[in-house]
Amino acid sequence: MTSDAHPTDRFGVISDIHGNLEALQAVLATLEIAGVGDIVCCGDVVGYGASPNECVALLRTREIPTVLGNHDAAVLGSEEIESFNEMARDAVLWTRDVLTPENLAWLAALPMTIERHGAFFVHASPCSPSEWNYVLTYVDAREAFNWFAQPLCFLGHSHQPFFIALANGELYHIRQEEAPLDPLTRMLVNVGSVGQPRDRDPRAACVVVDSQARLIQLLRVDYDIAAAQARIHRVGRHRGLAERLAHGC
Ligand code: ZN
């Protein structure tokens, strides 16, 4: 069953910040200039980057509704890290050590899903969110559409932005940086990653939903990559975590 109307306001969506303060600050500034009042975060606030406390503090101060991501869960110890690669595992353990008790408590209270603006927000797949499945193929996407009732679902996790639409039973990709909001079309939107893009574009990603213009836009934002890399070196984390930021992979 689908609810009948698309959202009627203007909001931003961010995801996969991964402790990258420079990228988060740049994205929040861009969303402010874009006139976005409300922002929702699809999780993975920490892990990989060198500024987990600063990123959590910024979301807390701005009261940005946020869902739990798999790296957030791993830092809390509620998710196995055996499947993580060495760099990710190292980052999780370091993040667990440096996060303040208040910031850990904030992470521990994050919900798995959020409904807001008439849309659905989740970190991985809306189908069994706590299994952290990826939505990568049309088969994954078709299944995913069965697990939310709203016209729009926003997610992250793969760090690769996409628009997948469902209209008249047909699925299709919208291979552009903006997608029309059509009352007869439902959409899965991967908003990409703020702090560690993996689509070969190193700029931070975020999404603006403009219900009046009936448009969803994917924005890419330049930020001070060298400063984020310097912080990773300063706290003695794996060099690869810094290098990949320059390549968007
Ligand atoms: Zn992530």
Side-chain angles (χ1 to χ4, degrees):
M1 290 297 290
T2 62
S3 42
D4 48 357
H6 277 293
T8 55
D9 39 15
R10 184 173 168 84
F11 60 94
V13 192
I14 59 176
S15 189
D16 294 274
I17 298 159
H18 285 295
N20 186 335
L21 179 64
E22 287 74 16
L24 178 60
Q25 287 172 326
V27 161
L28 293 179
T30 296
L31 290 175
E32 198 166 325
I33 290 165
V36 168
D38 195 62
I39 298 170
V40 182
C41 175
C42 290
D44 273 3
V45 180
V46 300
Y48 296 127
S51 309
N53 277 310
E54 294 84 345
C55 290
V56 170
L58 205 41
L59 297 194
R60 289 177 63 190
T61 306
R62 300 279 297 260
E63 298 183 351
I64 293 177
T66 301
V67 296
L68 187 75
N70 59 314
H71 285 253
D72 307 319
V75 165
L76 292 166
S78 52
E79 187 60 34
E80 299 290 337
I81 55 171
E82 276 71 51
S83 63
F84 282 39
N85 67 38
E86 189 198 332
M87 283 193 295
R89 216 168 34 232
D90 168 80
V92 162
L93 296 174
W94 175 81
T95 302
R96 192 182 288 169
D97 275 353
V98 300
L99 273 180
T100 66
E102 294 76 19
N103 287 339
L104 278 168
W106 182 83
L107 282 180
L110 294 180
M112 291 301 300
T113 64
I114 288 175
E115 292 179 53
R116 196 172 171 94
H117 300 288
F120 189 75
F121 301 84
V122 65
H123 179 64
S125 173
C127 161
S128 303
S130 60
E131 290 179 17
W132 314 113
N133 294 317
Y134 287 94
V135 178
L136 297 173
T137 67
Y138 275 175
V139 173
D140 303 334
R142 189 169 286 283
E143 178 65 11
F145 274 108
N146 293 325
W147 294 86
F148 62 96
Q150 295 79 357
L152 300 175
C153 171
F154 296 92
L155 49 93
H157 197 36
S158 70
H159 300 204
Q160 302 197 7
F162 64 63
F163 297 111
I164 298 178
L166 175 66
N168 298 320
E170 295 290 323
L171 285 180
Y172 57 97
H173 261 104
I174 298 173
R175 297 185 193 280
Q176 286 164 358
E177 303 221 320
E178 54 183 48
L181 276 178
D182 171 346
L184 299 177
T185 304
R186 297 175 72 210
M187 206 144 26
L188 273 177
V189 181
N190 190 313
V191 304
S193 172
V194 170
Q196 195 194 81
R198 292 181 194 155
D199 59 346
R200 306 268 160 199
D201 182 344
R203 294 174 299 168
C206 63
V207 157
V208 172
V209 181
D210 187 336
S211 307
Q212 302 238 299
R214 312 201 66 75
L215 212 57
I216 307 180
Q217 292 175 290
L218 172 68
L219 307 182
R220 299 310 287 258
V221 181
D222 284 309
Y223 74 96
D224 191 347
I225 292 175
Q229 291 174 316
R231 277 185 201 259
I232 290 171
H233 294 313
R234 220 176 301 140
V235 298
R237 309 282 32 94
H238 204 293
R239 296 188 61 80
L241 291 174
E243 280 161 16
R244 68 191 300 177
L245 295 180
H247 306 293
C249 65

